[in-house]
Amino acid sequence: MHNCFFVRTGGKYLRINYSDVVCIEGCKNYVRIVTDKKSHLVLATMKRMELLLPPTHFVRIHKSYIIPIERLTEFNAEVAYLGTKFFPVGKQYKGFLESAVHLITVEDIQETVAQPHLVPSKMMVGFGARVA
């Protein structure tokens, strides 16, 4: 599987590694691809970038922002944090963000405790059950 993509900028094709992307920002008919070292203005729409980038690596969180899932450190209904940087989460994109990450909720934990056959006995320690 690929871990990079190429964009045309300045008359040449430039390689951008997925891991180098900080965010992709919409600017009308262009997108600004921000990396650790530089930003690149590319003639493409956010919709097109959203379709071309792998959903296992990137998620659209706002009409103007696509972020790499790997850099996501924290989020709530309004803001996504990538380390010290933060980006708004649009109301219509909140569900996409939640679907893109592996969420473990209180309900999941309670359901697992209520159904001990789902958890190996060694993992039951700490859930209030005795290990035989």
Short mmCIF file of all heavy atoms in Angstrom, two decimals, residues 95-120:
data_model
loop_
_atom_site.label_atom_id
_atom_site.label_comp_id
_atom_site.label_asym_id
_atom_site.label_seq_id
_atom_site.Cartn_x
_atom_site.Cartn_y
_atom_site.Cartn_z
N GLY A 95 -19.72 13.14 12.95
CA GLY A 95 -19.93 11.70 12.81
C GLY A 95 -18.85 11.02 11.99
O GLY A 95 -18.45 9.89 12.30
N PHE A 96 -18.33 11.70 10.97
CA PHE A 96 -17.25 11.14 10.16
C PHE A 96 -15.99 10.99 11.00
O PHE A 96 -15.29 9.98 10.90
CB PHE A 96 -16.94 12.02 8.93
CG PHE A 96 -18.07 12.10 7.95
CD1 PHE A 96 -18.65 13.32 7.65
CD2 PHE A 96 -18.55 10.96 7.32
CE1 PHE A 96 -19.69 13.39 6.73
CE2 PHE A 96 -19.59 11.03 6.41
CZ PHE A 96 -20.17 12.25 6.12
N LEU A 97 -15.72 11.98 11.84
CA LEU A 97 -14.55 11.91 12.72
C LEU A 97 -14.70 10.76 13.71
O LEU A 97 -13.78 9.96 13.88
CB LEU A 97 -14.37 13.24 13.45
CG LEU A 97 -13.22 13.33 14.45
CD1 LEU A 97 -11.90 12.96 13.79
CD2 LEU A 97 -13.16 14.71 15.07
N GLU A 98 -15.85 10.64 14.32
CA GLU A 98 -16.07 9.55 15.28
C GLU A 98 -15.96 8.18 14.61
O GLU A 98 -15.48 7.23 15.21
CB GLU A 98 -17.43 9.71 15.95
CG GLU A 98 -17.48 10.88 16.91
CD GLU A 98 -18.86 11.13 17.49
OE1 GLU A 98 -19.86 10.61 16.94
OE2 GLU A 98 -18.94 11.86 18.49
N SER A 99 -16.41 8.08 13.36
CA SER A 99 -16.33 6.81 12.63
C SER A 99 -14.91 6.47 12.20
O SER A 99 -14.58 5.31 12.00
CB SER A 99 -17.22 6.86 11.39
OG SER A 99 -18.57 7.00 11.77
N ALA A 100 -14.08 7.49 12.06
CA ALA A 100 -12.72 7.28 11.55
C ALA A 100 -11.76 6.75 12.62
O ALA A 100 -10.71 6.20 12.29
CB ALA A 100 -12.17 8.58 10.97
N VAL A 101 -12.11 6.94 13.89
CA VAL A 101 -11.23 6.50 14.97
C VAL A 101 -11.87 5.34 15.72
O VAL A 101 -13.07 5.11 15.63
CB VAL A 101 -10.92 7.67 15.95
CG1 VAL A 101 -10.20 8.79 15.24
CG2 VAL A 101 -12.16 8.18 16.63
N HIS A 102 -11.07 4.64 16.47
CA HIS A 102 -11.55 3.52 17.28
C HIS A 102 -11.97 4.07 18.63
O HIS A 102 -11.12 4.39 19.47
CB HIS A 102 -10.44 2.47 17.43
CG HIS A 102 -10.88 1.28 18.20
ND1 HIS A 102 -11.34 0.14 17.59
CD2 HIS A 102 -10.94 1.05 19.53
CE1 HIS A 102 -11.65 -0.74 18.52
NE2 HIS A 102 -11.42 -0.21 19.70
N LEU A 103 -13.26 4.19 18.84
CA LEU A 103 -13.79 4.72 20.10
C LEU A 103 -14.14 3.58 21.05
O LEU A 103 -14.74 2.59 20.64
CB LEU A 103 -15.08 5.52 19.85
CG LEU A 103 -14.97 6.84 19.12
CD1 LEU A 103 -16.36 7.44 18.93
CD2 LEU A 103 -14.09 7.81 19.90
N ILE A 104 -13.74 3.72 22.29
CA ILE A 104 -14.16 2.80 23.34
C ILE A 104 -14.95 3.65 24.32
O ILE A 104 -14.40 4.55 24.95
CB ILE A 104 -12.98 2.12 24.03
CG1 ILE A 104 -12.22 1.27 23.01
CG2 ILE A 104 -13.46 1.28 25.21
CD1 ILE A 104 -10.97 0.62 23.57
N THR A 105 -16.23 3.37 24.44
CA THR A 105 -17.10 4.18 25.28
C THR A 105 -17.40 3.47 26.59
O THR A 105 -17.15 2.27 26.74
CB THR A 105 -18.44 4.46 24.56
OG1 THR A 105 -19.13 3.22 24.37
CG2 THR A 105 -18.21 5.14 23.21
N VAL A 106 -17.96 4.20 27.51
CA VAL A 106 -18.38 3.63 28.80
C VAL A 106 -19.39 2.51 28.54
O VAL A 106 -19.35 1.46 29.19
CB VAL A 106 -18.99 4.72 29.71
CG1 VAL A 106 -19.61 4.11 30.95
CG2 VAL A 106 -17.93 5.74 30.07
N GLU A 107 -20.27 2.70 27.58
CA GLU A 107 -21.27 1.68 27.25
C GLU A 107 -20.61 0.40 26.78
O GLU A 107 -21.04 -0.70 27.13
CB GLU A 107 -22.24 2.19 26.18
CG GLU A 107 -23.15 3.31 26.65
CD GLU A 107 -22.49 4.69 26.61
OE1 GLU A 107 -21.43 4.85 25.96
OE2 GLU A 107 -23.02 5.60 27.26
N ASP A 108 -19.52 0.51 26.00
CA ASP A 108 -18.79 -0.69 25.54
C ASP A 108 -18.22 -1.46 26.72
O ASP A 108 -18.30 -2.68 26.78
CB ASP A 108 -17.64 -0.30 24.60
CG ASP A 108 -18.12 0.31 23.30
OD1 ASP A 108 -19.23 -0.03 22.85
OD2 ASP A 108 -17.38 1.13 22.73
N ILE A 109 -17.65 -0.74 27.66
CA ILE A 109 -17.04 -1.37 28.83
C ILE A 109 -18.11 -2.04 29.68
O ILE A 109 -17.96 -3.18 30.11
CB ILE A 109 -16.23 -0.34 29.65
CG1 ILE A 109 -15.03 0.13 28.83
CG2 ILE A 109 -15.78 -0.92 30.99
CD1 ILE A 109 -14.30 1.32 29.38
N GLN A 110 -19.22 -1.35 29.90
CA GLN A 110 -20.30 -1.91 30.70
C GLN A 110 -20.88 -3.15 30.03
O GLN A 110 -21.19 -4.13 30.69
CB GLN A 110 -21.39 -0.86 30.94
CG GLN A 110 -20.94 0.23 31.88
CD GLN A 110 -21.93 1.37 31.97
OE1 GLN A 110 -22.83 1.51 31.14
NE2 GLN A 110 -21.76 2.20 32.98
N GLU A 111 -21.01 -3.13 28.73
CA GLU A 111 -21.54 -4.28 28.00
C GLU A 111 -20.60 -5.47 28.12
O GLU A 111 -21.03 -6.60 28.29
CB GLU A 111 -21.74 -3.92 26.52
CG GLU A 111 -22.34 -5.05 25.71
CD GLU A 111 -22.58 -4.64 24.27
OE1 GLU A 111 -23.03 -3.52 24.03
OE2 GLU A 111 -22.30 -5.47 23.38
N THR A 112 -19.29 -5.22 28.07
CA THR A 112 -18.31 -6.29 28.19
C THR A 112 -18.37 -6.91 29.58
O THR A 112 -18.30 -8.12 29.73
CB THR A 112 -16.90 -5.75 27.90
OG1 THR A 112 -16.90 -5.18 26.59
CG2 THR A 112 -15.87 -6.86 27.95
N VAL A 113 -18.51 -6.08 30.61
CA VAL A 113 -18.60 -6.58 31.98
C VAL A 113 -19.88 -7.39 32.16
O VAL A 113 -19.89 -8.42 32.81
CB VAL A 113 -18.53 -5.42 33.00
CG1 VAL A 113 -18.82 -5.91 34.40
CG2 VAL A 113 -17.16 -4.77 32.94
N ALA A 114 -20.96 -6.94 31.54
CA ALA A 114 -22.24 -7.64 31.65
C ALA A 114 -22.23 -8.97 30.91
O ALA A 114 -23.04 -9.83 31.19
CB ALA A 114 -23.36 -6.75 31.12
N GLN A 115 -21.33 -9.12 29.95
CA GLN A 115 -21.25 -10.34 29.17
C GLN A 115 -19.84 -10.91 29.30
O GLN A 115 -19.04 -10.82 28.38
CB GLN A 115 -21.57 -10.05 27.70
CG GLN A 115 -22.97 -9.52 27.50
CD GLN A 115 -23.23 -9.17 26.05
OE1 GLN A 115 -22.59 -9.68 25.15
NE2 GLN A 115 -24.22 -8.33 25.83
N PRO A 116 -19.51 -11.52 30.43
CA PRO A 116 -18.14 -11.97 30.69
C PRO A 116 -17.62 -13.00 29.70
O PRO A 116 -16.42 -13.14 29.56
CB PRO A 116 -18.21 -12.55 32.11
CG PRO A 116 -19.65 -12.69 32.44
CD PRO A 116 -20.41 -11.79 31.53
N HIS A 117 -18.49 -13.67 28.98
CA HIS A 117 -18.03 -14.64 27.98
C HIS A 117 -17.31 -13.96 26.82
O HIS A 117 -16.61 -14.60 26.06
CB HIS A 117 -19.20 -15.48 27.47
CG HIS A 117 -20.22 -14.69 26.71
ND1 HIS A 117 -21.20 -13.94 27.35
CD2 HIS A 117 -20.38 -14.49 25.38
CE1 HIS A 117 -21.95 -13.34 26.43
NE2 HIS A 117 -21.48 -13.64 25.24
N LEU A 118 -17.43 -12.63 26.71
CA LEU A 118 -16.75 -11.88 25.64
C LEU A 118 -15.31 -11.54 26.00
O LEU A 118 -14.54 -11.15 25.15
CB LEU A 118 -17.50 -10.58 25.33
CG LEU A 118 -18.92 -10.73 24.79
CD1 LEU A 118 -19.54 -9.35 24.60
CD2 LEU A 118 -18.91 -11.49 23.47
N VAL A 119 -14.93 -11.67 27.29
CA VAL A 119 -13.61 -11.28 27.75
C VAL A 119 -12.86 -12.50 28.26
O VAL A 119 -13.39 -13.25 29.07
CB VAL A 119 -13.73 -10.24 28.90
CG1 VAL A 119 -12.36 -9.81 29.38
CG2 VAL A 119 -14.56 -9.05 28.47
N PRO A 120 -11.62 -12.70 27.79
CA PRO A 120 -10.82 -13.81 28.34
C PRO A 120 -10.68 -13.65 29.86
O PRO A 120 -10.59 -12.54 30.36
CB PRO A 120 -9.46 -13.66 27.65
CG PRO A 120 -9.74 -12.84 26.43
CD PRO A 120 -10.92 -11.97 26.76
#
